């Protein structure tokens, strides 16, 4: 599926199932933080993120 969507990222946390947020919240936090650190809300590839960020402020 990743090959069909250029720019798509995937991550997994070994030893977890669908409840990664319950099973290993620290690992999920680290992955989300790393992802968000790389997001440029002004970039054209992130219009929904930029709109949501603007609406939240």
């Amino acid at each position: 599926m990743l090959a069909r969507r250029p720019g798509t990222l995937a991550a997994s946390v070994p030893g977890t199932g669908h409840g990664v947020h319950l099973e290993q919240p620290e690992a999920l936090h680290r992955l989300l933080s790393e992802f968000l650190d790389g997001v440029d809300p002004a970039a054209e590839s992130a219009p929904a993120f930029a709109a949501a960020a603007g609406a939240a402020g």
Side-chain angles (χ1 to χ4, degrees), residues 12-14 16 20 23-34:
S12 63
V13 179
T16 62
V20 66
E23 298 170 26
Q24 293 194 35
E26 297 85 7
L28 177 61
H29 181 264
R30 185 178 65 254
L31 286 170
L32 289 174
S33 293
E34 289 171 6

Side-chain angles (χ1 to χ4, degrees), residues 28-50:
L28 177 61
H29 181 264
R30 185 178 65 254
L31 286 170
L32 289 174
S33 293
E34 289 171 6
F35 170 76
L36 292 174
D37 286 346
V39 171
D40 178 4
E44 284 188 38
S45 63
F49 179 81

